[in-house]
Amino acid sequence: MKLRNCLLVLLAITAGKLSAQSNLLNAKTPSDIGKKTPAQLISDNDKPLPYGYVHDRDVLMGKSIWELIDLDERINFPLYYPIDTANIGKDRRSLFTVLLNGIKSGKITEVYADDYFNTKKTLKDMQSSFKYVDTTQTGLDEINNFYDDYKAGRKVLDPQYINTKDLTAQDITGYKIKGYWYFDKRQSELKYRLLGICPVSPEARDIGAENPDVIELFWVYFPAIRDVLHEAKAFNDKNSAQPITFDHLLNSRRFNGVIYKEENVYGDRNIADYERDNAQMQLLESERIKEKIRNFEQDMWNY
């Protein structure tokens, strides 16, 4: 038993050295931090753990579930921070920044406007949500006072009269996720498969307003972005030498989410559509749906 524990400690130390910030303790200048040896590059050339094949005949029970991840909860902070990237290393970015950079670079292409992945969405389609440009009241007064000059092009409006708002990672309030709970009769186990993820936030024009309405920015088909999320690291509060990939964090459900919709005969209506204006009853209904899925697995066994 002692030998086994020693081996586990050695493996943990080795993994920590490989996954921590490379060459941090050996760097003679800041530019040397992050440089990896050829052996490290080979060991880091890995892929996310592939999903096993599941035949339709092996799925005894299945149900699609939609959840909301509130980024105000402490357990969900690794998905939110860092929001200011000016004074932090390039290896740490928030989940929203990782998704947005992946879309801009073309690494993420499975972007949709709805949670059923029917309508594709491009970055151009989202520009109005990400950036808002408007003329201030002072600028409107300036244009009215010198209307003929502005119309003829003799004057150009000063940039100080232009109000620009950009949506950043700081403005993301949460994530909606769509997943599938199913009972694999071959392995006699209740399992979960994440299908889609969607950041939610106010529109750029509503940033700074009191109680703004939040919208779904875009839905991403999760199985298609696992390679991108595997390369990005989330902060591990217990051990910074072993950061967690976003792919691992989400697949292992290391977050807290509240069910807001389930697959049902009423057109997959939201809980808020039939439990109106009652937050407590909505939470109780969310727990009821969760227990209904759990009880199915328990009811499969006879004692």
Side-chain angles (χ1 to χ4, degrees), residues 146-155:
F146 302 96
Y147 179 77
D148 294 335
D149 293 336
Y150 281 106
K151 184 177 180 181
R154 291 188 294 270
K155 293 191 67 173

Side-chain angles (χ1 to χ4, degrees), residues 249-292:
L249 187 148
L250 292 169
N251 274 307
S252 59
R253 292 187 60 86
R254 299 178 65 165
F255 57 82
N256 183 52
V258 177
I259 297 174
Y260 71 90
K261 183 169 70 169
E262 69 165 333
E263 190 177 23
N264 55 57
V265 70
Y266 304 103
D268 299 346
R269 66 179 179 179
N270 291 348
I271 292 177
D273 292 339
Y274 59 92
E275 294 290 354
R276 298 177 182 273
D277 302 325
N278 194 327
Q280 183 179 8
M281 291 303 297
Q282 292 173 11
L283 287 175
L284 292 175
E285 177 67 7
S286 174
E287 290 298 317
R288 185 192 69 82
I289 295 172
K290 185 188 299 183
E291 289 302 317
K292 180 174 64 175

Side-chain angles (χ1 to χ4, degrees), residues 198-210:
C198 167
V200 295
S201 75
E203 286 191 285
R205 64 184 301 165
D206 295 330
I207 293 176
E210 292 186 8

Side-chain angles (χ1 to χ4, degrees), residues 46-63:
D46 61 339
K47 297 292 183 181
L49 187 66
Y51 293 141
Y53 178 76
V54 181
H55 198 284
D56 291 342
R57 295 179 301 181
D58 296 332
V59 179
L60 189 61
M61 182 278 294
K63 181 175 282 289

Side-chain angles (χ1 to χ4, degrees), residues 24-266:
L24 178 63
L25 302 179
N26 301 315
K28 301 194 182 304
T29 62
S31 60
D32 292 337
I33 300 176
K35 292 183 179 179
K36 298 182 179 182
T37 64
Q40 286 177 315
L41 292 173
I42 293 174
S43 64
D44 289 347
N45 187 23
D46 61 339
K47 297 292 183 181
L49 187 66
Y51 293 141
Y53 178 76
V54 181
H55 198 284
D56 291 342
R57 295 179 301 181
D58 296 332
V59 179
L60 189 61
M61 182 278 294
K63 181 175 282 289
S64 295
I65 294 293
W66 288 259
E67 297 173 87
L68 176 63
I69 302 173
D70 188 355
L71 294 182
D72 281 337
E73 297 185 35
R74 184 175 297 275
I75 192 175
N76 299 328
F77 280 178
L79 299 174
Y80 180 65
Y81 291 101
I83 55 177
D84 183 8
T85 59
N87 299 314
I88 202 165
K90 295 181 180 179
D91 57 325
R92 288 186 57 191
R93 291 293 182 269
S94 66
L95 177 59
F96 176 74
T97 303
V98 172
L99 293 176
L100 189 59
N101 289 343
I103 295 173
K104 290 180 178 179
S105 65
K107 292 182 179 180
I108 297 178
T109 57
E110 297 303 312
V111 184
Y112 296 85
D114 61 290
D115 50 3
Y116 294 96
F117 314 111
N118 293 323
T119 307
K120 281 267 194 174
K121 198 171 187 179
T122 63
L123 193 60
K124 185 177 180 180
D125 299 330
M126 299 181 274
Q127 288 300 324
S128 60
S129 300
F130 290 151
K131 192 177 186 68
Y132 177 69
V133 180
D134 190 22
T135 306
T136 63
Q137 185 59 48
T138 307
L140 294 176
D141 295 338
E142 171 75 10
I143 293 174
N144 291 332
N145 294 334
F146 302 96
Y147 179 77
D148 294 335
D149 293 336
Y150 281 106
K151 184 177 180 181
R154 291 188 294 270
K155 293 191 67 173
V156 179
L157 190 63
D158 194 290
Q160 66 175 331
Y161 299 134
I162 304 297
N163 184 21
T164 303
K165 294 181 180 180
D166 292 304
L167 185 69
T168 63
Q170 181 178 357
D171 305 309
I172 303 301
T173 61
Y175 289 92
K176 290 183 177 180
I177 60 172
K178 178 182 179 181
Y180 191 71
W181 285 99
Y182 66 97
F183 188 85
D184 190 337
K185 68 178 183 180
R186 185 178 293 274
Q187 300 186 19
S188 299
E189 184 179 358
L190 184 68
K191 295 185 177 181
Y192 178 77
R193 182 70 59 84
L194 186 57
L195 300 178
I197 186 168
C198 167
V200 295
S201 75
E203 286 191 285
R205 64 184 301 165
D206 295 330
I207 293 176
E210 292 186 8
N211 301 321
D213 293 331
V214 297
I215 63 169
E216 299 177 354
L217 294 178
F218 53 84
W219 278 91
V220 182
Y221 188 63
F222 185 81
I225 64 170
R226 294 192 61 205
D227 288 335
V228 175
L229 297 184
H230 182 72
E231 297 174 358
K233 310 295 183 183
F235 183 73
N236 185 352
D237 191 42
K238 296 182 178 180
N239 185 2
S240 60
Q242 291 185 318
I244 311 165
T245 68
F246 281 115
D247 176 69
H248 182 198
L249 187 148
L250 292 169
N251 274 307
S252 59
R253 292 187 60 86
R254 299 178 65 165
F255 57 82
N256 183 52
V258 177
I259 297 174
Y260 71 90
K261 183 169 70 169
E262 69 165 333
E263 190 177 23
N264 55 57
V265 70
Y266 304 103

